mmCIF file with all atom_site columns, all heavy atoms in Angstrom:
data_model
loop_
_atom_site.group_PDB
_atom_site.id
_atom_site.type_symbol
_atom_site.label_atom_id
_atom_site.label_alt_id
_atom_site.label_comp_id
_atom_site.label_asym_id
_atom_site.label_entity_id
_atom_site.label_seq_id
_atom_site.pdbx_PDB_ins_code
_atom_site.Cartn_x
_atom_site.Cartn_y
_atom_site.Cartn_z
_atom_site.occupancy
_atom_site.B_iso_or_equiv
_atom_site.pdbx_formal_charge
_atom_site.auth_seq_id
_atom_site.auth_comp_id
_atom_site.auth_asym_id
_atom_site.auth_atom_id
_atom_site.pdbx_PDB_model_num
ATOM 1   N N   . LEU A 1 130 ? -37.277 2.192   -2.350 1.00 98.00 ? 130 LEU A N   1
ATOM 2   C CA  . LEU A 1 130 ? -37.822 1.609   -3.568 1.00 98.00 ? 130 LEU A CA  1
ATOM 3   C C   . LEU A 1 130 ? -38.356 0.216   -3.263 1.00 98.00 ? 130 LEU A C   1
ATOM 4   O O   . LEU A 1 130 ? -37.637 -0.623  -2.710 1.00 98.00 ? 130 LEU A O   1
ATOM 5   C CB  . LEU A 1 130 ? -36.744 1.539   -4.655 1.00 98.00 ? 130 LEU A CB  1
ATOM 6   C CG  . LEU A 1 130 ? -36.067 2.860   -5.018 1.00 98.00 ? 130 LEU A CG  1
ATOM 7   C CD1 . LEU A 1 130 ? -34.953 2.664   -6.025 1.00 98.00 ? 130 LEU A CD1 1
ATOM 8   C CD2 . LEU A 1 130 ? -37.093 3.854   -5.553 1.00 98.00 ? 130 LEU A CD2 1
ATOM 9   N N   . LYS A 1 131 ? -39.590 -0.006  -3.623 1.00 97.00 ? 131 LYS A N   1
ATOM 10  C CA  . LYS A 1 131 ? -40.206 -1.305  -3.369 1.00 97.00 ? 131 LYS A CA  1
ATOM 11  C C   . LYS A 1 131 ? -39.440 -2.421  -4.082 1.00 97.00 ? 131 LYS A C   1
ATOM 12  O O   . LYS A 1 131 ? -39.182 -3.474  -3.517 1.00 97.00 ? 131 LYS A O   1
ATOM 13  C CB  . LYS A 1 131 ? -41.676 -1.293  -3.798 1.00 97.00 ? 131 LYS A CB  1
ATOM 14  C CG  . LYS A 1 131 ? -42.412 -2.578  -3.477 1.00 97.00 ? 131 LYS A CG  1
ATOM 15  C CD  . LYS A 1 131 ? -43.904 -2.488  -3.838 1.00 97.00 ? 131 LYS A CD  1
ATOM 16  C CE  . LYS A 1 131 ? -44.621 -3.768  -3.485 1.00 97.00 ? 131 LYS A CE  1
ATOM 17  N NZ  . LYS A 1 131 ? -46.076 -3.679  -3.825 1.00 97.00 ? 131 LYS A NZ  1
ATOM 18  N N   . THR A 1 132 ? -39.066 -2.128  -5.336 1.00 97.00 ? 132 THR A N   1
ATOM 19  C CA  . THR A 1 132 ? -38.240 -3.064  -6.083 1.00 97.00 ? 132 THR A CA  1
ATOM 20  C C   . THR A 1 132 ? -36.818 -3.003  -5.490 1.00 97.00 ? 132 THR A C   1
ATOM 21  O O   . THR A 1 132 ? -36.219 -1.930  -5.410 1.00 97.00 ? 132 THR A O   1
ATOM 22  C CB  . THR A 1 132 ? -38.193 -2.717  -7.553 1.00 97.00 ? 132 THR A CB  1
ATOM 23  O OG1 . THR A 1 132 ? -39.513 -2.716  -8.084 1.00 97.00 ? 132 THR A OG1 1
ATOM 24  C CG2 . THR A 1 132 ? -37.332 -3.704  -8.320 1.00 97.00 ? 132 THR A CG2 1
ATOM 25  N N   . GLY A 1 133 ? -36.320 -4.147  -5.079 1.00 98.00 ? 133 GLY A N   1
ATOM 26  C CA  . GLY A 1 133 ? -34.986 -4.182  -4.470 1.00 98.00 ? 133 GLY A CA  1
ATOM 27  C C   . GLY A 1 133 ? -34.989 -4.100  -2.975 1.00 98.00 ? 133 GLY A C   1
ATOM 28  O O   . GLY A 1 133 ? -33.915 -4.017  -2.352 1.00 98.00 ? 133 GLY A O   1
ATOM 29  N N   . THR A 1 134 ? -36.172 -4.126  -2.353 1.00 98.00 ? 134 THR A N   1
ATOM 30  C CA  . THR A 1 134 ? -36.279 -4.112  -0.902 1.00 98.00 ? 134 THR A CA  1
ATOM 31  C C   . THR A 1 134 ? -37.103 -5.323  -0.469 1.00 98.00 ? 134 THR A C   1
ATOM 32  O O   . THR A 1 134 ? -38.270 -5.475  -0.892 1.00 98.00 ? 134 THR A O   1
ATOM 33  C CB  . THR A 1 134 ? -36.968 -2.823  -0.407 1.00 98.00 ? 134 THR A CB  1
ATOM 34  O OG1 . THR A 1 134 ? -36.181 -1.683  -0.844 1.00 98.00 ? 134 THR A OG1 1
ATOM 35  C CG2 . THR A 1 134 ? -37.104 -2.786  1.107  1.00 98.00 ? 134 THR A CG2 1
ATOM 36  N N   . HIS A 1 135 ? -36.541 -6.157  0.362  1.00 98.00 ? 135 HIS A N   1
ATOM 37  C CA  . HIS A 1 135 ? -37.240 -7.371  0.791  1.00 98.00 ? 135 HIS A CA  1
ATOM 38  C C   . HIS A 1 135 ? -36.529 -8.023  1.961  1.00 98.00 ? 135 HIS A C   1
ATOM 39  O O   . HIS A 1 135 ? -35.374 -7.680  2.318  1.00 98.00 ? 135 HIS A O   1
ATOM 40  C CB  . HIS A 1 135 ? -37.329 -8.367  -0.361 1.00 98.00 ? 135 HIS A CB  1
ATOM 41  C CG  . HIS A 1 135 ? -35.997 -8.659  -1.033 1.00 98.00 ? 135 HIS A CG  1
ATOM 42  N ND1 . HIS A 1 135 ? -35.066 -9.479  -0.492 1.00 98.00 ? 135 HIS A ND1 1
ATOM 43  C CD2 . HIS A 1 135 ? -35.488 -8.212  -2.195 1.00 98.00 ? 135 HIS A CD2 1
ATOM 44  C CE1 . HIS A 1 135 ? -33.992 -9.534  -1.273 1.00 98.00 ? 135 HIS A CE1 1
ATOM 45  N NE2 . HIS A 1 135 ? -34.227 -8.753  -2.335 1.00 98.00 ? 135 HIS A NE2 1
ATOM 46  N N   . VAL A 1 136 ? -37.222 -8.960  2.587  1.00 98.00 ? 136 VAL A N   1
ATOM 47  C CA  . VAL A 1 136 ? -36.692 -9.759  3.700  1.00 98.00 ? 136 VAL A CA  1
ATOM 48  C C   . VAL A 1 136 ? -37.027 -11.206 3.433  1.00 98.00 ? 136 VAL A C   1
ATOM 49  O O   . VAL A 1 136 ? -38.160 -11.520 3.026  1.00 98.00 ? 136 VAL A O   1
ATOM 50  C CB  . VAL A 1 136 ? -37.314 -9.337  5.054  1.00 98.00 ? 136 VAL A CB  1
ATOM 51  C CG1 . VAL A 1 136 ? -36.741 -10.174 6.188  1.00 98.00 ? 136 VAL A CG1 1
ATOM 52  C CG2 . VAL A 1 136 ? -37.080 -7.868  5.327  1.00 98.00 ? 136 VAL A CG2 1
ATOM 53  N N   . ASN A 1 137 ? -36.023 -12.068 3.629  1.00 98.00 ? 137 ASN A N   1
ATOM 54  C CA  . ASN A 1 137 ? -36.317 -13.527 3.547  1.00 98.00 ? 137 ASN A CA  1
ATOM 55  C C   . ASN A 1 137 ? -35.717 -14.230 4.750  1.00 98.00 ? 137 ASN A C   1
ATOM 56  O O   . ASN A 1 137 ? -35.345 -13.555 5.751  1.00 98.00 ? 137 ASN A O   1
ATOM 57  C CB  . ASN A 1 137 ? -35.821 -14.092 2.223  1.00 98.00 ? 137 ASN A CB  1
ATOM 58  C CG  . ASN A 1 137 ? -34.320 -13.923 2.030  1.00 98.00 ? 137 ASN A CG  1
ATOM 59  O OD1 . ASN A 1 137 ? -33.531 -13.957 2.987  1.00 98.00 ? 137 ASN A OD1 1
ATOM 60  N ND2 . ASN A 1 137 ? -33.901 -13.743 0.767  1.00 98.00 ? 137 ASN A ND2 1
ATOM 61  N N   . ALA A 1 138 ? -35.624 -15.517 4.714  1.00 97.00 ? 138 ALA A N   1
ATOM 62  C CA  . ALA A 1 138 ? -35.182 -16.271 5.870  1.00 97.00 ? 138 ALA A CA  1
ATOM 63  C C   . ALA A 1 138 ? -33.730 -16.041 6.223  1.00 97.00 ? 138 ALA A C   1
ATOM 64  O O   . ALA A 1 138 ? -33.316 -16.272 7.372  1.00 97.00 ? 138 ALA A O   1
ATOM 65  C CB  . ALA A 1 138 ? -35.437 -17.773 5.625  1.00 97.00 ? 138 ALA A CB  1
ATOM 66  N N   . THR A 1 139 ? -32.912 -15.615 5.266  1.00 98.00 ? 139 THR A N   1
ATOM 67  C CA  . THR A 1 139 ? -31.492 -15.496 5.525  1.00 98.00 ? 139 THR A CA  1
ATOM 68  C C   . THR A 1 139 ? -30.953 -14.074 5.446  1.00 98.00 ? 139 THR A C   1
ATOM 69  O O   . THR A 1 139 ? -29.920 -13.763 6.040  1.00 98.00 ? 139 THR A O   1
ATOM 70  C CB  . THR A 1 139 ? -30.703 -16.363 4.511  1.00 98.00 ? 139 THR A CB  1
ATOM 71  O OG1 . THR A 1 139 ? -30.973 -15.870 3.174  1.00 98.00 ? 139 THR A OG1 1
ATOM 72  C CG2 . THR A 1 139 ? -31.092 -17.814 4.616  1.00 98.00 ? 139 THR A CG2 1
ATOM 73  N N   . HIS A 1 140 ? -31.603 -13.166 4.710  1.00 98.00 ? 140 HIS A N   1
ATOM 74  C CA  . HIS A 1 140 ? -31.076 -11.830 4.481  1.00 98.00 ? 140 HIS A CA  1
ATOM 75  C C   . HIS A 1 140 ? -32.186 -10.791 4.475  1.00 98.00 ? 140 HIS A C   1
ATOM 76  O O   . HIS A 1 140 ? -33.354 -11.096 4.255  1.00 98.00 ? 140 HIS A O   1
ATOM 77  C CB  . HIS A 1 140 ? -30.321 -11.760 3.132  1.00 98.00 ? 140 HIS A CB  1
ATOM 78  C CG  . HIS A 1 140 ? -29.028 -12.474 3.132  1.00 98.00 ? 140 HIS A CG  1
ATOM 79  N ND1 . HIS A 1 140 ? -28.934 -13.864 3.024  1.00 98.00 ? 140 HIS A ND1 1
ATOM 80  C CD2 . HIS A 1 140 ? -27.746 -12.000 3.200  1.00 98.00 ? 140 HIS A CD2 1
ATOM 81  C CE1 . HIS A 1 140 ? -27.659 -14.218 3.013  1.00 98.00 ? 140 HIS A CE1 1
ATOM 82  N NE2 . HIS A 1 140 ? -26.928 -13.108 3.132  1.00 98.00 ? 140 HIS A NE2 1
ATOM 83  N N   . PHE A 1 141 ? -31.775 -9.546  4.708  1.00 98.00 ? 141 PHE A N   1
ATOM 84  C CA  . PHE A 1 141 ? -32.656 -8.418  4.427  1.00 98.00 ? 141 PHE A CA  1
ATOM 85  C C   . PHE A 1 141 ? -31.925 -7.487  3.462  1.00 98.00 ? 141 PHE A C   1
ATOM 86  O O   . PHE A 1 141 ? -30.691 -7.401  3.461  1.00 98.00 ? 141 PHE A O   1
ATOM 87  C CB  . PHE A 1 141 ? -33.102 -7.674  5.679  1.00 98.00 ? 141 PHE A CB  1
ATOM 88  C CG  . PHE A 1 141 ? -32.015 -6.973  6.459  1.00 98.00 ? 141 PHE A CG  1
ATOM 89  C CD1 . PHE A 1 141 ? -31.688 -5.646  6.201  1.00 98.00 ? 141 PHE A CD1 1
ATOM 90  C CD2 . PHE A 1 141 ? -31.345 -7.641  7.478  1.00 98.00 ? 141 PHE A CD2 1
ATOM 91  C CE1 . PHE A 1 141 ? -30.693 -4.990  6.922  1.00 98.00 ? 141 PHE A CE1 1
ATOM 92  C CE2 . PHE A 1 141 ? -30.342 -6.980  8.230  1.00 98.00 ? 141 PHE A CE2 1
ATOM 93  C CZ  . PHE A 1 141 ? -30.037 -5.681  7.953  1.00 98.00 ? 141 PHE A CZ  1
ATOM 94  N N   . GLN A 1 142 ? -32.698 -6.794  2.617  1.00 98.00 ? 142 GLN A N   1
ATOM 95  C CA  . GLN A 1 142 ? -32.099 -5.881  1.633  1.00 98.00 ? 142 GLN A CA  1
ATOM 96  C C   . GLN A 1 142 ? -32.999 -4.672  1.486  1.00 98.00 ? 142 GLN A C   1
ATOM 97  O O   . GLN A 1 142 ? -34.222 -4.768  1.512  1.00 98.00 ? 142 GLN A O   1
ATOM 98  C CB  . GLN A 1 142 ? -31.960 -6.575  0.286  1.00 98.00 ? 142 GLN A CB  1
ATOM 99  C CG  . GLN A 1 142 ? -31.398 -5.667  -0.814 1.00 98.00 ? 142 GLN A CG  1
ATOM 100 C CD  . GLN A 1 142 ? -31.223 -6.390  -2.121 1.00 98.00 ? 142 GLN A CD  1
ATOM 101 O OE1 . GLN A 1 142 ? -30.366 -7.276  -2.260 1.00 98.00 ? 142 GLN A OE1 1
ATOM 102 N NE2 . GLN A 1 142 ? -32.032 -6.065  -3.142 1.00 98.00 ? 142 GLN A NE2 1
ATOM 103 N N   . ILE A 1 143 ? -32.383 -3.513  1.334  1.00 98.00 ? 143 ILE A N   1
ATOM 104 C CA  . ILE A 1 143 ? -33.114 -2.289  1.090  1.00 98.00 ? 143 ILE A CA  1
ATOM 105 C C   . ILE A 1 143 ? -32.431 -1.520  -0.027 1.00 98.00 ? 143 ILE A C   1
ATOM 106 O O   . ILE A 1 143 ? -31.198 -1.500  -0.151 1.00 98.00 ? 143 ILE A O   1
ATOM 107 C CB  . ILE A 1 143 ? -33.237 -1.433  2.370  1.00 98.00 ? 143 ILE A CB  1
ATOM 108 C CG1 . ILE A 1 143 ? -34.249 -0.285  2.170  1.00 98.00 ? 143 ILE A CG1 1
ATOM 109 C CG2 . ILE A 1 143 ? -31.872 -0.916  2.818  1.00 98.00 ? 143 ILE A CG2 1
ATOM 110 C CD1 . ILE A 1 143 ? -34.663 0.362   3.458  1.00 98.00 ? 143 ILE A CD1 1
ATOM 111 N N   . THR A 1 144 ? -33.233 -0.889  -0.880 1.00 98.00 ? 144 THR A N   1
ATOM 112 C CA  . THR A 1 144 ? -32.738 -0.048  -1.959 1.00 98.00 ? 144 THR A CA  1
ATOM 113 C C   . THR A 1 144 ? -33.486 1.286   -1.855 1.00 98.00 ? 144 THR A C   1
ATOM 114 O O   . THR A 1 144 ? -34.721 1.315   -1.767 1.00 98.00 ? 144 THR A O   1
ATOM 115 C CB  . THR A 1 144 ? -33.017 -0.702  -3.331 1.00 98.00 ? 144 THR A CB  1
ATOM 116 O OG1 . THR A 1 144 ? -32.468 -2.033  -3.346 1.00 98.00 ? 144 THR A OG1 1
ATOM 117 C CG2 . THR A 1 144 ? -32.372 0.124   -4.455 1.00 98.00 ? 144 THR A CG2 1
ATOM 118 N N   . ALA A 1 145 ? -32.739 2.371   -1.868 1.00 98.00 ? 145 ALA A N   1
ATOM 119 C CA  . ALA A 1 145 ? -33.360 3.700   -1.683 1.00 98.00 ? 145 ALA A CA  1
ATOM 120 C C   . ALA A 1 145 ? -32.615 4.739   -2.491 1.00 98.00 ? 145 ALA A C   1
ATOM 121 O O   . ALA A 1 145 ? -31.394 4.693   -2.618 1.00 98.00 ? 145 ALA A O   1
ATOM 122 C CB  . ALA A 1 145 ? -33.380 4.068   -0.218 1.00 98.00 ? 145 ALA A CB  1
ATOM 123 N N   . VAL A 1 146 ? -33.391 5.700   -3.005 1.00 98.00 ? 146 VAL A N   1
ATOM 124 C CA  . VAL A 1 146 ? -32.783 6.838   -3.692 1.00 98.00 ? 146 VAL A CA  1
ATOM 125 C C   . VAL A 1 146 ? -32.675 7.987   -2.710 1.00 98.00 ? 146 VAL A C   1
ATOM 126 O O   . VAL A 1 146 ? -33.568 8.239   -1.898 1.00 98.00 ? 146 VAL A O   1
ATOM 127 C CB  . VAL A 1 146 ? -33.647 7.246   -4.924 1.00 98.00 ? 146 VAL A CB  1
ATOM 128 C CG1 . VAL A 1 146 ? -35.097 7.586   -4.533 1.00 98.00 ? 146 VAL A CG1 1
ATOM 129 C CG2 . VAL A 1 146 ? -33.016 8.411   -5.663 1.00 98.00 ? 146 VAL A CG2 1
ATOM 130 N N   . CYS A 1 147 ? -31.551 8.687   -2.751 1.00 98.00 ? 147 CYS A N   1
ATOM 131 C CA  . CYS A 1 147 ? -31.272 9.747   -1.804 1.00 98.00 ? 147 CYS A CA  1
ATOM 132 C C   . CYS A 1 147 ? -31.138 11.089  -2.485 1.00 98.00 ? 147 CYS A C   1
ATOM 133 O O   . CYS A 1 147 ? -30.413 11.235  -3.484 1.00 98.00 ? 147 CYS A O   1
ATOM 134 C CB  . CYS A 1 147 ? -30.011 9.472   -0.995 1.00 98.00 ? 147 CYS A CB  1
ATOM 135 S SG  . CYS A 1 147 ? -29.602 10.768  0.214  1.00 98.00 ? 147 CYS A SG  1
ATOM 136 N N   . LYS A 1 148 ? -31.812 12.123  -1.953 1.00 97.00 ? 148 LYS A N   1
ATOM 137 C CA  . LYS A 1 148 ? -31.563 13.520  -2.322 1.00 97.00 ? 148 LYS A CA  1
ATOM 138 C C   . LYS A 1 148 ? -30.830 14.163  -1.168 1.00 97.00 ? 148 LYS A C   1
ATOM 139 O O   . LYS A 1 148 ? -31.330 14.199  -0.025 1.00 97.00 ? 148 LYS A O   1
ATOM 140 C CB  . LYS A 1 148 ? -32.895 14.223  -2.584 1.00 97.00 ? 148 LYS A CB  1
ATOM 141 C CG  . LYS A 1 148 ? -33.608 13.762  -3.799 1.00 97.00 ? 148 LYS A CG  1
ATOM 142 C CD  . LYS A 1 148 ? -34.887 14.584  -4.052 1.00 97.00 ? 148 LYS A CD  1
ATOM 143 C CE  . LYS A 1 148 ? -35.607 14.120  -5.309 1.00 97.00 ? 148 LYS A CE  1
ATOM 144 N NZ  . LYS A 1 148 ? -34.814 14.374  -6.536 1.00 97.00 ? 148 LYS A NZ  1
ATOM 145 N N   . GLY A 1 149 ? -29.633 14.645  -1.430 1.00 96.00 ? 149 GLY A N   1
ATOM 146 C CA  . GLY A 1 149 ? -28.850 15.258  -0.367 1.00 96.00 ? 149 GLY A CA  1
ATOM 147 C C   . GLY A 1 149 ? -27.668 14.456  0.092  1.00 96.00 ? 149 GLY A C   1
ATOM 148 O O   . GLY A 1 149 ? -27.013 14.815  1.100  1.00 96.00 ? 149 GLY A O   1
#
Side-chain angles (χ1 to χ4, degrees):
L130 304 176
K131 184 176 181 180
T132 302
T134 300
H135 52 77
V136 180
N137 59 33
T139 61
H140 288 77
F141 65 92
Q142 178 178 292
I143 191 165
T144 306
V146 58
C147 180
K148 292 184 179 294

